[in-house]
Amino acid sequence: MLKLRRLEHILQGMGPALVAFSAGVDSSFLAAAARQALGKNAAAVTVLSPFVPSNLAERSASLARLIGINHFLLRQELPLRCLQNNPDRCYLCKKTIFSRIAAAAKKKGFRFVIEGSNVDDMIDFRPGARALQELGVASPLQTAGFSKDDIRRASRRMGLPTWNMESSPCLATRVPYGQKISRESLETIERAETYLRSLGARSVRVRCHARAARIEVDRRDIPVMVKHRQGIVRRLKALGFAYVSLDLEGYRSGAMNEAA
């Protein structure tokens, strides 16, 4: 595959590289590709912050062992300005986290920090991309021309269990700009989404509008949500939401930017 050869050439030209590893579809593929291209000159780092799921430490470590790449964890608190949730939240968060990763890379002797953005990410509103550019973080999947579909197909051929995993951006994306974020609210959102997935829903997002939950799921799963509506209302109200609604447009990436 031409893009795979191009990616291998890019990675080998970089030399020792540290992969920002969220254990999602893109970063898992990049970690596997870096391991193949660079061997022991590649490693992966997962940053644990209030904005990531509670099981990320265990999940990322397990996946890194499967890939065969050296892996370590960093814990990072976020600036108060991130929790204020202004439109520059993503930029501030990325700048904080990748500054920490860059410092770790320098200390451990890695020439480059690399991350898993793909060409599809260039279409959406992603203010965090500016932070990556400012810090000199490389995005080799974009450079090699990989789309999300390309990554899924290549991941499947490589035997990665993440090939058909749903995308899951940080939990803060469930909260509209201007509404303050707390660790408790993010934990509530995570519990609500876990419950909805247990009912068989895909591409689940529980958008938190103050005390109202707006549920987005794959359009094919809207009938499932309607079927279980009474149980969903009971569960989400027990978690602290006063109102529970189902978005009839279904899940779409960047929905919180529509009113930004």
Side-chain angles (χ1 to χ4, degrees):
M1 182 180 176
L2 179 60
K3 291 179 182 179
L4 275 174
R5 290 196 297 270
R6 189 182 303 155
L7 177 60
E8 182 180 24
H9 178 74
I10 291 168
L11 292 170
Q12 289 176 342
M14 287 180 169
L18 182 59
V19 182
F21 186 57
S22 68
V25 179
D26 301 334
S27 67
S28 296
F29 171 67
L30 179 59
R35 177 68 177 87
Q36 288 185 0
L38 300 172
K40 292 184 179 180
N41 284 326
V45 58
T46 301
V47 177
L48 306 178
S49 80
F51 287 0
V52 302
S54 58
N55 67 348
L56 181 58
E58 180 181 352
R59 184 162 56 85
S60 62
S62 175
L63 191 52
R65 285 193 296 271
L66 176 66
I67 292 170
I69 193 169
N70 291 331
H71 175 249
F72 62 97
L73 301 170
L74 294 174
R75 296 186 182 275
Q76 180 66 52
E77 291 300 321
L78 297 174
L80 181 61
R81 287 175 63 194
C82 287
L83 302 180
Q84 294 295 325
N85 198 22
N86 294 320
D88 64 350
R89 179 204 69 227
C90 186
Y91 168 79
L92 293 171
C93 180
K94 290 281 189 186
K95 193 70 177 280
T96 300
I97 286 174
F98 276 88
S99 294
R100 179 80 184 279
I101 292 175
K106 183 177 181 180
K107 182 177 180 180
K108 292 177 179 291
F110 292 100
R111 291 180 59 198
F112 283 90
V113 173
I114 59 178
E115 62 86 43
S117 295
N118 61 68
V119 295
D120 296 339
D121 295 324
M122 301 170 72
I123 301 171
D124 194 12
F125 172 66
R126 293 181 182 268
R130 179 163 60 94
L132 302 180
Q133 293 172 356
E134 291 173 356
L135 293 169
V137 176
S139 304
L141 299 181
Q142 280 186 352
T143 304
F146 276 85
S147 67
K148 177 70 82 173
D149 286 343
D150 292 331
I151 292 167
R152 290 190 186 279
R153 285 192 293 268
S155 297
R156 188 175 188 180
R157 285 193 292 270
M158 294 172 73
L160 295 175
T162 51
W163 75 269
N164 64 345
M165 178 181 176
E166 70 171 82
S167 298
S168 183
C170 83
L171 293 170
T173 61
R174 278 64 156 176
V175 184
Y177 293 129
Q179 179 179 314
K180 291 183 179 180
I181 298 172
S182 68
R183 189 183 296 270
E184 292 74 21
S185 65
L186 297 180
E187 290 174 351
T188 297
I189 291 168
E190 184 178 5
R191 290 192 187 103
E193 292 187 354
T194 298
Y195 170 71
L196 295 176
R197 289 190 185 95
S198 75
L199 300 177
R202 294 158 289 184
S203 299
V204 176
R205 300 289 186 273
V206 174
R207 311 294 190 185
C208 179
H209 300 267
R211 296 189 63 204
R214 176 170 59 85
I215 299 170
E216 294 178 19
V217 295
D218 188 292
R219 292 179 185 179
R220 294 169 294 178
D221 295 327
I222 288 177
V224 177
M225 298 293 96
V226 174
K227 177 182 177 181
H228 293 282
R229 67 181 183 84
Q230 292 181 332
I232 291 171
V233 169
R234 284 196 300 270
R235 177 60 175 160
L236 268 61
K237 284 193 172 184
L239 289 173
F241 290 106
Y243 308 98
V244 181
S245 65
L246 177 64
D247 192 321
L248 297 181
E249 283 192 80
Y251 165 73
R252 62 267 187 209
S253 179
M256 292 305 253
N257 295 327
E258 294 170 358

